[in-house]
């Protein structure tokens, strides 16, 4: 078990290395760098002065070398200008170059400086990730139990009326993209002009203009049911349909297995057949899907966060990409890679507990 | 619970009719079926696949699924009609009074639940027994079904047990609440013969011990004779003959029963002088049943205008023990007359050596870790295999699962390469040439007929196209037209109508598919054909036809046939020489007569005694092997068979534990790998004897 985990961690490190290099390479393409030089230096720079600026700021070295710098395995660049002041990757502004460290990369905890947020990337990512963490947690709390229950109830009697009703709901919800369901939810529940809110307001059920708040910005400081319900539902609805469909498929398959017949012909009550015999076997497949939802959510929140103006990870990613914030983008990709790999590790380990036929080592 | 008089039948099925409803039509699966099972009696249900025997069993359990419905008749269990019972009443009967044992033990146990929990559940539901008592009872029953180390087994998951152990667990589960009726649906079909013998013994003993009545469903007549008191022969949804086992076996009164017995290889059948007689034609599809007698179109005694006039009822046979037949002409037919269709065929001459194997070894390296780490283990799939096969000869390779017979076939075909040793095909060394590197001649001269005809044909290619494709691969024929013509000839060869060339595999029955498989194997003029259990997936009546076809083609083409099988009856019937394998070793080899008569290798002896024979005139010595076949990863030291051998005590000095016995040459080229002394071998009694008349 321990060996398996260590092995997986090794594979994770390797994957992270490869993936971050790909992102590094793509964000450090020449046109990107020129854009950066113009936005950091001056918009009206000539071609030559762009080249000079890039050389003076350590961007002229080969991409592999600079990736090493970013990682912290190659000494950071230094540049001494005509005036004799030495600047460098590892030399904070206004400090003594002699005291600066030689290496300063991700491994040393230096994730770079965000040009958009004017803040160190690490602080920025950590804060935004925390905000998204809350969102993801609530989505999971709503989504997983709901979808499993729907899937199991639909799958335990394939073709029944309950199955058809629930399946229709699942297909509809998973076929609706978040930007559609989000807009519908806002129009229906959080608009002072349309949907339910004006009616409820008229009848005096609610005091405020809208039932739910259309913006989740206030949830950054204080999460309430009223400001968080809509973003959570927007993301969860899509996932509910998807996981419920998976669970249903798995459940219907399990229900046709011979051991279910064995249980039935043992005289086990239908309810116990489902709970004691079918459930654990039926959860094996959806479990993997649920664990895959974590990385998916990390991207999935982009739409919902932008829509509800919730400044989390997704919103940050969009802002960083839109503003050519290279260090920030790299930081986000590192976090995303780690989240994906860690959840898959958990998924593999959990799988062993659900399925006694699988042994890790 | 109503009182029930033990002299009354436990189960009484009266004129039961079951139909399955599809969107298109109603498909009658069982018609007008009646049967009675008395207390302590074992009733056998025999028939080919699709005859409705499992449907009857599931109907008794009232578990026909969504589409199945009982359309008429009664199923009375202890006097109460199961057909009209509601779900709650049924639930109390299922598992507590009627229990069922299934064909595939692995699939019928919950993979995610411990054995103990699955067993203990039964008394916890039906007798509201507390958990610890239920586990204690489970432990006792597990010991009752003769499983070693019950505590370990109770805490194991199903996948940690072998097939035989799993089936014992399924039996234990059925016995947990001492049911009055046990339904066994082909309980041993998925198991090896020596394991099967153990299970059959167990079922019989437990039946006596607990006084349980049994409904035993099987396609194997020999097994029915071993286990049951009475039987019911089914054909196409109807019971055609029922009666006491000895009466039906010795004085059958229905043409189908007779045809069935003539198509199974009993001792005395011989491929040349007394070939098997297969039943002509095919099983009718449920919605294409003929008028009148369902067996009519395939029956030798068919009389138009009488047999196909209208429904035929079961007719009791006077003087019999509740013996009845669904035949209008049973009183007119001369049942003792020898079959007219039996033609003896000339024995094909055996020619020069075609294939020669010397000291062939095949080891597999197995890594124990999931990612290639850990200590390497070696599976010795084949150990020093030496033999030769001649032109026109049938060499049977016999052994149970895991004995290495399929590995051997793979090495010969070139799907695997040998670890050491040599394979000579004619004068060519082919042991280390994988199939991709073999030339077309070699590939087309060594071909294979596979076990499962359902999986070996491409489902999206017509039959003719598949054979033409084989011809192309073997570079036969100069033009498409020539190949087309050759393909039609091949269809003639395997006795399929030429029109079948246009058909898709799904339109063919199992036997017809296997014929296509044979045609494909012979497409390149194969000299050596490896038939890996070619008939074991087929019904008995079709088995005879396919075996005879193989024999006919062999006679015509002088093919060398390597017949891999676990079924000794069929091996005795068709092979010239036999090779018995156990755990990768050849333990005995010789002509068919030498192997089937003493002196035996102890394993051959046990194997012979384990095969049920459907003949009341044969007496068989029962030798039940203890335990399972050891794993090839971890074979026992010394003789591979020493862990299960009943003769081990006759060898002095514990030689069996230490040393691998040498291959000993007995008279006439008969070879045995055993330490037993010459006088012990000479004193062995035959396992199968004709009973004194």
């Amino acid at each position: 078990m321990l060996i398996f985990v260590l092995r997986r961690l090794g594979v994770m490190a390797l994957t992270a290395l490869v993936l971050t290099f790909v992102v590094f390479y793509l964000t450090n393409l020449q046109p990107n760098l020129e854009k950066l030089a113009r936005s950091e230096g001056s918009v009206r720079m000539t071609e030559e002065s762009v080249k000079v600026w890039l050389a003076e700021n350590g961007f002229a070295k080969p991409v592999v070398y600079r990736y090493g710098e970013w990682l912290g395995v190659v000494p950071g660049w230094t540049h001494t200008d005509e005036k004799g002041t030495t600047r460098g990757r590892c030399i904070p502004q206004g400090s003594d170059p002699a005291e600066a460290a030689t290496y300063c990369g991700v491994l040393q905890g230096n994730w770079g400086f965000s040009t958009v947020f004017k803040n160190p990337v690490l602080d920025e990512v950590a804060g935004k990730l925390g905000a998204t963490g809350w969102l993801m947690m609530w989505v999971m709390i709503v989504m997983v139990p709901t979808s499993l229950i729907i899937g199991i109830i639909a799958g335990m009697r394939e073709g029944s009326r309950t199955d058809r009703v629930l399946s229709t709901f699942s297909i509809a919800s998973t076929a609706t993209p978040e930007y559609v369901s989000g807009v519908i939810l806002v129009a229906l529940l959080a608009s002072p002009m349309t949907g339910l809110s004006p009616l409820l307001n008229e009848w005096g059920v609610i005091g405020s203009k809208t039932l739910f708040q259309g913006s989740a910005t206030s949830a950054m400081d204080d999460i309430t049911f009223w400001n968080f319900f809509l973003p959570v539902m927007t993301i969860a609805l899509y996932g509910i349909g998807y996981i419920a469909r998976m669970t249903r498929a798995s459940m219907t398959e399990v229900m046709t297995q011979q051991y279910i017949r064995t249980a039935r012909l043992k005289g086990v009550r239908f309810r116990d057949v489902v709970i004691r015999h079918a459930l654990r076997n039926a959860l094996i497949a959806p479990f993997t899907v649920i664990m895959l939802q974590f990385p998916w959510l990390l991207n999935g929140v982009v739409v919902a966060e932008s829509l509800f103006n919730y400044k989390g990870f997704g919103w940050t990613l969009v802002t960083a990409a839109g503003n050519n914030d290279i260090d920030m983008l790299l930081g986000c990709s590192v976090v995303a890679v780690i989240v994906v790999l860690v959840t898959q590790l958990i998924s593999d380990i959990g799988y062993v507990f659900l399925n006694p036929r699988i042994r890790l080592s | 619970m109503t009182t029930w008089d033990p002299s009354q039948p436990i189960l009484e099925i009266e004129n039961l009719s079951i139909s399955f409803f599809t969107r298109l039509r109603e498909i009658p699966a069982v018609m007008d079926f009646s049967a009675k099972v008395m207390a302590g009696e074992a009733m056998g249900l025999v028939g080919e696949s699709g005859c409705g025997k499992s449907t009857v069993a599931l109907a008794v359990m009232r578990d026909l699924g969504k589409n199945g419905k009982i359309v008429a008749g009664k199923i009375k269990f202890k006097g109460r009609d199961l057909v009209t019972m509601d779900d709650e009443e049924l639930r109390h009967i299922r598992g507590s009074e009627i229990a069922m044992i299934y064909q595939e033990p692995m699939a019928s146990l919950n993979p995610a639940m411990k054995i103990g929990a699955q067993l203990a559940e039964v008394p916890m539901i039906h007798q509201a027994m507390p958990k610890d008592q239920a586990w204690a009872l489970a432990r006792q029953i597990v010991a009752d079904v003769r499983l070693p180390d019950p505590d370990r087994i109770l805490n194991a998951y199903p996948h940690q047990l072998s097939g035989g152990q799993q089936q014992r667990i399924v039996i234990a589960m059925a016995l947990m609440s001492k049911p009055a009726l046990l339904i066994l649906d082909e309980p041993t079909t998925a198991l090896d013969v020596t394991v099967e013998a153990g299970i059959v013994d167990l079922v019989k003993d437990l039946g006596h011990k607990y006084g349980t009545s049994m409904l035993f469903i099987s396609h194997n007549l020999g097994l029915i004779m071993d286990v049951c008191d009475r039987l019911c022969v089914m054909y196409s949804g109807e019971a055609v003959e029922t009666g006491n086992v000895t009466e039906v076996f010795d004085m059958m009164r229905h043409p189908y029963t007779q045809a069935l017995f003539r198509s199974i290889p009993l001792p005395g059948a011989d491929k040349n002088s007394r070939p098997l007689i297969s039943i002509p034609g095919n099983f009718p599809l449920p919605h294409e049943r003929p008028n009148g007698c369902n067996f009519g179109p395939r029956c030798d005694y068919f009389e138009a205008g009488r047999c196909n006039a209208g429904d035929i009822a079961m007719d009791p046979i006077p003087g019999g023990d509740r013996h009845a037949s669904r035949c209008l002409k049973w009183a007119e037919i001369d049942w003792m007359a020898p079959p007219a269709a039996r033609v003896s065929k000339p024995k094909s001459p055996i020619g020069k050596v075609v294939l020669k194997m010397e000291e062939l070894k095949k080891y597999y390296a197995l890594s124990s870790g999931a990612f290639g780490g850990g200590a390497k283990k070696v599976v010795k799939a084949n150990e020093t295999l030496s033999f030769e096969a001649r032109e026109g000869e049938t060499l049977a390779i016999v052994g149970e699962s895991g004995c290495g017979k399929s590995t051997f076939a793979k090495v010969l075909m070139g799907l695997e390469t040998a670890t050491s040793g040599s394979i000579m095909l004619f004068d060519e060394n082919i042991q280390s040439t994988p199939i991709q590197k073999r030339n077309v001649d070699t590939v087309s001269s060594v071909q294979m007929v596979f076990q499962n005809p359902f999986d070996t044909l491409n489902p999206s290619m017509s039959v003719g196209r598949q054979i033409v494709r084989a011809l192309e691969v073997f570079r036969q024929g100069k033009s498409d037209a020539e190949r087309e013509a050759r393909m039609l000839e091949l269809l003639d060869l395997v006795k399929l109508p030429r029109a079948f060339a246009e058909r898709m595999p799904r339109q063919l029955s199992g036997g017809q598919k296997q014929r296509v498989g044979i045609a494909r194997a012979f497409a390149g003029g194969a000299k050596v054909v490896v038939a890996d259990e070619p008939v074991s997936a087929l019904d008995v009546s079709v088995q005879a036809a396919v075996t005879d076809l193989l024999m006919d083609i062999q006679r015509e083409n002088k093919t060398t046939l390597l017949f891999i099988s676990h079924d000794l009856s069929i091996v005795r019937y068709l092979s010239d020489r036999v090779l018995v394998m156990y755990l990768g070793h050849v333990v005995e080899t010789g002509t068919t007569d030498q192997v089937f008569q003493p002196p035996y290798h102890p394993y051959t002896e046990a194997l012979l005694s384990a095969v049920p024979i459907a003949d009341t005139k044969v007496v068989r010595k029962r030798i039940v092997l203890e335990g399972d076949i050891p794993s090839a990863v971890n074979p026992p030291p010394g003789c591979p068979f020493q862990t299960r051998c009943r003769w081990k005590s006759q060898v002095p000095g514990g030689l069996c534990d230490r040393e691998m016995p040498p291959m000993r040459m007995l008279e006439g080229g008969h070879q045995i790998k055993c330490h037993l002394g010459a006088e012990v071998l000479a004193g062995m009694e035959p396992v199968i004897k004709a009973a004194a008349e």
Side-chain angles (χ1 to χ4, degrees):
Chain A
M1 182 76 180
L2 191 71
I3 293 171
F4 171 80
V5 173
L6 288 179
R7 220 181 264 277
R8 283 300 296 263
L9 288 174
V11 174
M12 267 172 63
L14 201 70
T15 320
L17 215 59
V18 173
L19 282 175
T20 47
F21 179 74
V22 171
V23 177
F24 189 90
Y25 178 77
L26 290 175
T27 47
N28 281 281
L29 288 172
Q30 199 57 34
N32 244 0
L33 294 178
E34 282 166 18
K35 213 168 119 194
L36 180 79
R38 289 205 164 92
S39 66
E40 291 296 301
S42 142
V43 187
R44 280 183 286 276
M45 271 204 266
T46 58
E47 292 288 321
E48 283 74 44
S49 47
V50 165
K51 274 200 185 114
V52 172
W53 189 91
L54 287 176
E56 282 179 358
N57 287 282
F59 287 106
K61 294 213 168 72
V63 73
V64 181
Y65 184 88
R66 283 191 295 116
Y67 178 69
E69 282 182 353
W70 176 80
L71 207 59
V73 292
V74 173
W77 59 268
T78 50
H79 178 81
T80 313
D81 59 16
E82 309 87 60
K83 291 177 215 144
T85 40
T86 305
R87 292 182 304 112
R89 182 182 165 80
C90 304
I91 306 161
Q93 217 131 36
S95 71
D96 184 6
E99 286 166 18
T102 330
Y103 300 96
C104 54
V106 174
L107 294 178
Q108 284 80 25
N110 184 349
W111 289 44
F113 193 81
S114 163
T115 51
V116 183
F117 299 103
K118 308 291 177 208
N119 218 353
V121 169
L122 197 58
D123 299 350
E124 199 63 30
V125 169
K128 297 288 159 61
L129 204 61
T132 297
W134 282 107
L135 186 60
M136 280 168 73
M137 188 186 80
W138 282 108
V139 169
M140 281 292 177
I141 289 174
V142 172
M143 180 172 75
V144 174
T146 320
S147 55
L148 289 184
I149 290 169
I150 292 177
I152 283 162
I153 292 177
M156 71 187 188
R157 291 185 206 267
E158 193 185 2
S160 65
R161 184 172 307 197
T162 331
D163 176 21
R164 287 182 196 183
V165 170
L166 291 177
S167 292
T168 310
F169 166 76
S170 326
I171 293 169
S173 83
T174 201
T176 316
E178 286 158 349
Y179 47 85
V180 175
S181 58
V183 169
I184 292 175
L185 282 176
V186 168
L188 212 58
L189 300 170
S191 155
M193 315 299 287
T194 56
L196 283 179
S197 304
L199 285 175
L200 291 174
N201 188 277
E202 209 169 289
W203 297 336
V205 182
I206 48 168
S208 58
K209 280 264 171 66
T210 60
L211 182 58
F212 291 101
Q213 281 165 255
S215 154
T217 317
S218 59
M220 296 292 292
D221 309 314
D222 177 31
I223 294 170
T224 65
F225 178 70
W226 302 108
N227 61 22
F228 224 42
F229 179 79
L230 290 184
V232 166
M233 282 316 286
T234 306
I235 303 171
L237 262 181
Y238 179 82
I240 284 173
Y242 183 66
I243 301 176
R245 288 299 291 168
M246 288 296 189
T247 315
R248 179 190 169 276
S250 168
M251 187 70 185
T252 49
E253 201 205 308
V254 166
M255 287 307 280
T256 59
Q257 294 293 310
Q258 288 195 24
Y259 55 81
I260 295 299
R261 188 183 68 181
T262 310
R264 209 165 50 224
L265 297 189
K266 258 200 269 190
V268 181
R269 247 178 267 266
F270 184 75
R271 200 187 48 149
D272 291 338
V273 169
V274 172
I275 294 173
R276 284 177 56 85
H277 290 267
L279 202 57
R280 184 168 165 194
N281 290 298
L283 285 185
I284 293 171
F287 181 73
T288 319
V289 177
I290 291 170
M291 290 317 286
L292 276 172
Q293 294 296 304
F294 281 101
W296 171 78
L297 272 180
L298 211 53
N299 302 317
V301 291
V302 171
V303 172
E305 283 182 0
S306 308
L307 194 66
F308 292 98
N309 204 19
Y310 184 73
K311 295 188 177 58
F313 185 78
W315 180 86
T316 310
L317 197 64
V318 172
T319 318
N323 293 289
N324 204 27
D325 190 346
I326 293 173
D327 280 347
M328 195 69 208
L329 274 176
L330 280 167
C332 288
S333 68
V334 172
V335 168
V337 165
I338 291 173
V339 169
V340 171
L341 297 177
V342 167
T343 49
Q344 286 321 291
L345 180 68
I346 297 171
S347 147
D348 286 348
I349 294 170
Y351 200 77
V352 177
F353 287 103
L354 277 174
N355 190 348
R357 278 168 294 188
I358 305 283
R359 282 281 160 269
L360 288 182
S361 52
Chain B
M1 187 138 300
T2 48
T3 48
W4 169 74
D5 173 10
S7 66
Q8 293 297 305
I10 286 261
L11 179 74
E12 195 174 3
I13 303 176
E14 285 171 15
N15 309 95
L16 179 71
S17 295
I18 303 162
S19 288
F20 287 94
F21 292 86
T22 65
R23 270 180 207 185
L24 285 175
R25 56 168 89 85
E26 172 187 351
I27 297 172
V30 173
M31 288 100 60
D32 189 30
F33 179 89
S34 301
K36 248 185 226 172
V37 185
M38 307 296 284
E41 202 176 55
M43 170 82 162
L45 274 183
V46 200
E48 296 173 83
S49 53
C51 73
K53 52 192 195 302
S54 295
T55 312
V56 169
L58 288 175
V60 173
M61 284 305 235
R62 283 283 313 278
D63 193 56
L64 288 166
K66 258 180 295 181
N67 305 324
K69 276 198 182 64
I70 295 174
V71 286
K74 281 183 184 153
I75 305 171
K76 281 201 277 192
F77 174 73
K78 290 190 176 179
R80 299 158 72 204
D81 191 358
L82 291 170
V83 177
T84 54
M85 262 184 207
D86 63 34
D87 286 348
E88 196 56 25
E89 279 174 292
L90 277 173
R91 206 172 62 71
H92 286 296
I93 285 182
R94 288 172 179 167
S96 80
E97 300 216 47
I98 308 179
M100 190 155 175
I101 293 168
Y102 314 88
Q103 179 166 357
E104 281 170 54
M106 181 68 207
S108 11
L109 292 171
N110 191 332
M113 246 169 120
K114 283 185 178 167
I115 299 287
Q118 297 193 46
L119 289 175
E121 197 179 32
V122 179
M124 283 162 70
I125 299 166
H126 295 292
Q127 284 130 41
M129 198 183 269
K131 195 175 169 192
D132 48 339
Q133 269 185 46
W135 276 71
L137 180 69
R139 193 188 176 285
Q140 187 201 326
I141 302 266
V142 167
D144 257 13
V145 294
R146 298 178 210 148
L147 280 170
D149 201 358
D151 292 312
R152 182 186 64 86
I153 287 193
L154 285 185
N155 282 307
Y157 285 102
H159 69 277
Q160 294 165 328
L161 308 179
S162 71
Q165 288 176 330
Q166 286 169 357
Q167 192 59 296
R168 279 167 200 264
I169 291 298
V170 175
I171 293 173
M173 191 146 70
L175 293 172
M176 280 302 283
S177 58
K178 315 243 176 335
L181 176 69
L182 200 55
I183 299 174
L184 299 104
D185 189 358
E186 306 257 11
T188 57
T189 309
L191 306 175
D192 274 319
V193 265
T194 56
V195 179
E196 173 184 81
I199 298 277
V200 165
D201 265 17
L202 175 73
V203 166
K204 273 187 345 195
D205 288 355
L206 294 172
H208 289 306
K209 188 173 168 187
Y210 296 114
T212 315
S213 306
M214 283 189 264
L215 193 62
F216 191 95
I217 296 166
S218 182
H219 65 279
N220 188 332
L221 286 163
L223 210 54
I224 294 277
M225 198 187 92
D226 272 0
V227 181
C228 302
D229 309 303
R230 300 181 56 76
L231 92 162
C232 180
V233 183
M234 290 190 72
Y235 181 78
S236 190
E238 287 179 331
V240 292
E241 185 165 4
T242 174
N244 150 337
V245 167
T246 30
E247 249 178 55
V248 174
F249 274 51
D250 294 343
M251 299 172 20
M252 65 234 9
R253 288 295 174 264
H254 193 280
Y256 175 64
T257 321
Q258 188 185 41
L260 207 56
F261 273 96
R262 284 182 177 166
S263 66
I264 56 174
L266 295 173
D270 182 276
K271 64 173 163 177
N272 297 315
S273 58
R274 289 188 62 199
L276 300 179
I277 301 164
S278 54
I279 306 176
N282 280 313
F283 204 80
L285 292 173
H287 54 276
E288 288 170 358
R289 289 195 181 107
N291 228 351
C293 179
N294 282 342
F295 188 60
R298 302 171 75 187
C299 182
D300 292 341
Y301 309 103
F302 181 71
E303 199 179 312
R306 185 170 162 207
C307 291
N308 57 3
D311 288 349
I312 301 165
M314 275 308 244
D315 191 12
I317 285 152
D321 170 19
R322 287 184 281 149
H323 191 173
S325 164
R326 199 184 286 272
C327 179
L328 288 174
K329 299 178 67 184
W330 71 264
E332 300 158 32
I333 296 169
D334 176 9
W335 295 99
M336 301 314 281
R342 188 166 275 170
V343 232
S344 57
K345 291 168 184 165
K347 193 175 181 339
S348 62
I350 290 172
K352 57 180 193 329
V353 174
V354 172
L355 181 75
K356 192 170 175 172
M357 287 208 180
E358 266 171 18
E359 302 283 311
L360 183 83
K361 279 186 189 164
K362 175 67 194 173
Y363 292 174
Y364 288 100
L366 201 73
S367 62
S368 49
F371 291 90
K376 290 272 189 288
K377 285 178 181 169
V378 173
V379 179
K380 295 177 178 172
N382 286 147
E383 282 265 48
T384 57
L385 214 61
S386 304
F387 71 89
E388 41 183 56
R390 291 162 183 278
E391 188 184 66
E393 185 183 48
T394 308
L395 176 70
I397 297 161
V398 180
E400 295 176 276
S401 52
C403 74
K405 54 191 197 296
S406 298
T407 306
F408 149 77
K410 280 185 197 154
V411 173
L412 176 59
M413 298 300 297
L415 296 172
E416 305 267 359
T417 50
T419 310
S420 73
S422 71
I423 306 174
M424 302 285 289
L425 180 71
F426 299 103
D427 298 319
E428 204 183 338
N429 234 323
I430 56 168
Q431 75 276 9
S432 43
T433 324
I435 192 141
Q436 298 87 341
K437 291 191 185 138
R438 291 188 179 181
N439 58 33
V440 177
D441 272 356
T442 317
V443 172
S444 59
S445 62
V446 186
Q447 275 300 305
M448 191 154 175
V449 178
F450 298 92
Q451 174 168 14
N452 196 339
F454 303 92
D455 298 340
T456 42
L457 297 183
N458 186 339
S460 56
M461 225 192 235
S462 75
V463 165
R465 183 72 206 118
Q466 303 204 26
I467 298 174
V468 170
R469 182 77 198 121
L471 290 168
E472 282 167 12
V473 170
F474 296 149
R475 308 219 183 103
Q476 299 282 313
K478 290 186 189 65
S479 63
D480 281 355
E482 213 170 293
R483 278 190 284 267
E484 194 80 7
R486 175 85 185 112
M487 180 267 288
L488 293 174
E489 277 170 36
L490 280 166
L491 285 179
D492 293 344
L493 179 76
V494 294
K495 302 191 177 95
L496 282 176
R498 289 191 164 198
F500 272 44
E502 303 302 316
R503 294 214 186 170
M504 298 307 273
R506 63 170 179 278
Q507 295 168 296
L508 268 54
S509 73
Q512 289 164 343
K513 280 186 199 163
Q514 194 59 296
R515 283 167 196 264
V516 177
I518 293 171
R520 200 167 55 169
F522 280 93
K527 291 286 164 227
V528 177
V529 169
V530 181
D532 187 0
E533 308 252 11
V535 295
S536 63
L538 306 175
D539 274 319
V540 264
S541 66
V542 185
Q543 277 187 9
V546 173
T547 348
D548 272 355
L549 172 72
L550 272 175
M551 294 291 103
D552 286 345
I553 298 178
Q554 181 184 34
R555 262 185 214 103
E556 229 167 90
N557 299 2
K558 297 199 170 43
T559 320
T560 308
L561 194 63
L562 295 182
F563 191 85
I564 298 178
S565 180
H566 68 277
D567 183 351
L568 284 169
S569 322
I570 202 125
V571 164
R572 181 213 296 262
Y573 168 69
L574 58 71
S575 60
D576 302 305
R577 284 197 305 130
V578 180
L579 204 76
V580 183
M581 287 186 73
Y582 187 78
L583 269 186
H585 292 268
V586 175
V587 293
E588 181 168 2
T589 163
T591 64
T592 308
D593 286 343
Q594 283 167 347
V595 171
F596 280 77
Q597 263 153 31
Y600 306 111
H601 184 278
Y603 175 62
T604 318
E605 186 192 28
L607 207 56
L608 277 174
S609 100
V611 182
I613 296 170
D615 193 336
T616 52
K617 289 182 281 303
V618 166
V619 178
R620 214 156 28 103
K621 193 155 71 183
R622 292 295 284 177
I623 301 160
V624 173
L625 291 181
E626 294 298 323
D628 288 313
I629 301 175
S631 150
V633 185
N634 192 12
C639 172
F641 189 57
Q642 52 118 333
T643 51
R644 303 166 82 198
C645 182
R646 70 183 191 117
W647 294 88
K648 197 177 154 188
S649 57
Q650 307 262 11
V651 176
L655 208 55
C656 299
D657 292 328
R658 285 180 282 119
E659 258 177 60
M660 170 66 70
M663 201 67 177
R664 282 164 52 187
M665 188 69 86
L666 305 176
E667 55 185 304
H670 186 193
Q671 294 178 47
I672 290 183
K673 204 178 241 182
C674 189
H675 283 306
L676 280 174
E679 65 290 350
V680 183
L681 285 178
M684 274 189 180
E685 286 173 17
V687 174
I688 301 162
K689 277 185 288 195
E693 293 282 322

